[in-house]
Amino acid sequence: MTFPVVGMVGGGQLARMTHEAGIPLGIKFKLLSDTPQDSAAQVVSEVVVGDYRDLDTLRAFARGCDVITFDHEHVPTAHLRALEADGVPVRPGPDALVHAQDKGVMRAKLDSIGVPCPRHRIVSDPEDAARFAAEVAGGGAQRTGEGRWPGDGDGSGGFPVVLKTVRGGYDGKGVWVVRSSKEAEEPFRAGVPVLAEEKVDFARELAANIVRSPHGQAVAYPVVESIQVDGVCDTVIAPAPGLDPELAGHAQELALRIGQELGVVGHLAVELFETADGRILVNELAMRPHNSGHWTQDGAITSQFANHVRAVLDLPLGDPRPRARWTVMANVLGGDYPDMYSAYLHCMARDPQLKIHMYGKDVKPGRKVGHVNTYGDDLAEVRERAAHAAGYLRGTITE
């Protein structure tokens, strides 16, 4: 029997953990990595080092692969269409993936299918961003005689607003919260289109994760709460505590509908705002395994990584239900303490149920180098265990 070969573009930790999920199934992986030192390149046996932006490199890599999938959304859309024209299965395909690659395309599509989003539009320059801020404030506002917009810099009149480059941003990069027309100058220096969005008055951030196969089977994981620190995911709580069951069901249904409407194959993360008045708005989409789903490695019957592998191979999907009442994931960020291995003795002795997942990365301040998962029946205890382990590994907790 010949087992299929999954070609994974991108050598980061998502590829590393997706490869790990395929090992028990005997699935073979081939990796296109930027460097031999990348997280996944350290563990996958067949690694091609090359530039995913080069079409000839992609075509050569695809030879011998039964399907191509990704650990990031940065491969040029035209290159993916070329691979499909060559007869290579690409999952998710370019028609779906472009909605995770281009925030302007994503917002336009979500508008067309009636998905609730923050108010937004593409803006052409800092002056246009200020006009958008005035529109958010109620429309019709004009500049004062001093050349200022109403509320310019004082938090009223629509400011602050969020500006995003339509392509290439992640983990807070390519995203600015601007409080004046002067601050709005920075996003335009890259010379790429900029999307302006209202700054939502949200109570918390949620994420709805689903997985969908080519023949339309789909599963939905419990909706989680995602806690951000400085634009980077710090903690994920599964399921989101205190979330109204009706609203949770609505979020799952919304994610499933987006997956169907966009033709997603594989894992889809729908990042959401829960507003102060009890609504949900779609913030971002990711069509790959996602940080908000890392808890599933130890907290769900079938992890997001295992289901992504199943989906891209069109195998029956696994059960997404949680194994425990509560699971908490805490990211381990690099700090001033590079020797994380020496911290294992304390962490494992203190919490024998702790699950540590490290990515093989060099430790740099603020860099995601791993995560921990804890689970149990008492949410406060589970959160404390996760926070302590992540802090001890980073070196910010020493006892």
Side-chain angles (χ1 to χ4, degrees):
M1 180 179 295
T2 300
F3 282 75
V5 176
V6 174
M8 195 98 181
V9 178
Q13 64 261 27
L14 300 179
R16 181 184 178 110
M17 291 181 279
T18 304
H19 165 258
E20 179 186 5
I23 291 173
L25 301 177
I27 304 301
K28 301 175 183 178
F29 270 75
K30 183 179 177 183
L31 187 72
L32 180 60
S33 182
D34 290 339
T35 76
Q37 291 76 41
D38 285 352
S39 179
Q42 300 173 27
V43 296
V44 176
S45 60
E46 187 173 359
V47 179
V48 175
V49 176
D51 187 348
Y52 63 82
R53 295 164 295 189
D54 180 75
L55 179 56
D56 289 339
T57 298
L58 280 171
R59 281 179 158 148
F61 171 74
R63 296 189 191 106
C65 295
D66 293 284
V67 64
I68 298 294
T69 190
F70 316 92
D71 93 332
H72 61 71
E73 293 103 345
H74 304 316
V75 180
T77 311
H79 289 6
L80 300 181
R81 296 194 194 283
L83 290 182
E84 283 198 328
D86 293 342
V88 179
V90 177
R91 294 171 179 166
D95 290 339
L97 193 61
V98 69
H99 298 94
Q101 295 175 321
D102 190 306
K103 294 178 175 63
V105 172
M106 180 262 288
R107 286 290 182 227
K109 179 64 174 181
L110 296 184
D111 285 346
S112 73
I113 61 176
V115 171
C117 298
R119 287 175 289 178
H120 60 272
R121 69 174 173 85
I122 300 292
V123 290
S124 57
D125 53 36
E127 285 285 294
D128 199 16
R131 283 190 289 271
F132 171 79
E135 293 164 11
V136 168
Q142 301 293 325
R143 282 189 298 178
T144 68
E146 294 79 25
R148 290 168 59 84
W149 289 88
D152 205 3
D154 69 6
S156 63
F159 282 110
V161 296
V162 180
L163 299 183
K164 302 176 178 180
T165 53
V166 295
R167 283 180 176 256
Y170 65 97
D171 280 353
K173 299 177 178 66
V175 179
W176 294 262
V177 178
V178 300
R179 293 167 176 80
S180 68
S181 53
K182 178 66 175 175
E183 289 186 9
E185 294 175 1
E186 175 66 23
F188 293 93
R189 289 176 182 148
V192 298
V194 173
L195 176 71
E197 296 182 348
E198 69 173 311
K199 189 173 185 299
V200 176
D201 178 22
F202 62 88
R204 59 177 170 173
E205 295 186 60
L206 305 173
N209 291 281
I210 66 122
V211 182
R212 187 171 179 273
S213 68
H215 71 271
Q217 185 190 10
V219 296
Y221 289 94
V223 177
V224 300
E225 179 177 353
S226 177
I227 300 170
Q228 312 291 311
V229 176
D230 296 329
V232 178
C233 179
D234 180 83
T235 304
V236 172
I237 305 172
L243 182 62
D244 179 80
E246 185 173 341
L247 193 62
H250 174 56
Q252 290 176 309
E253 290 169 2
L254 188 65
L256 289 166
R257 181 161 73 87
I258 291 171
Q260 181 179 16
E261 293 277 1
L262 273 55
V264 175
V265 172
H267 184 270
L268 169 68
V270 180
E271 297 181 72
L272 302 161
F273 294 128
E274 182 184 6
T275 65
D277 57 0
R279 296 173 295 129
I280 55 172
L281 302 173
V282 172
N283 179 24
E284 300 278 3
L285 302 180
M287 295 180 194
R288 50 175 171 73
H290 191 257
N291 206 168
S292 65
H294 288 359
W295 69 273
T296 63
Q297 283 178 297
D298 305 297
I301 294 173
T302 311
S303 75
Q304 64 165 347
F305 302 103
N307 263 335
H308 184 77
V309 172
R310 293 188 187 201
V312 301
L313 293 172
D314 207 10
L315 293 170
L317 300 181
D319 193 333
R321 288 179 298 171
R323 294 179 180 271
R325 182 177 180 184
W326 300 105
T327 302
V328 173
M329 188 281 312
N331 277 321
V332 178
L333 302 181
D336 298 325
Y337 182 64
D339 184 15
M340 290 189 174
Y341 180 74
S342 65
Y344 283 8
L345 180 65
H346 169 84
C347 290
M348 293 177 178
R350 184 179 190 269
D351 187 356
Q353 295 186 51
L354 177 71
K355 303 297 184 181
I356 301 173
H357 301 269
M358 300 302 287
Y359 307 152
K361 291 182 173 183
D362 291 336
V363 176
K364 297 178 181 179
R367 185 187 200 186
K368 290 181 188 175
V369 293
H371 68 271
V372 298
N373 287 329
T374 57
Y375 47 87
D377 294 330
D378 185 311
L379 178 57
E381 178 196 37
V382 174
R383 290 191 67 174
E384 187 279 330
R385 287 163 48 209
H388 183 277
Y392 198 91
L393 288 165
R394 187 178 187 181
T396 53
I397 295 175
T398 57
E399 59 182 12

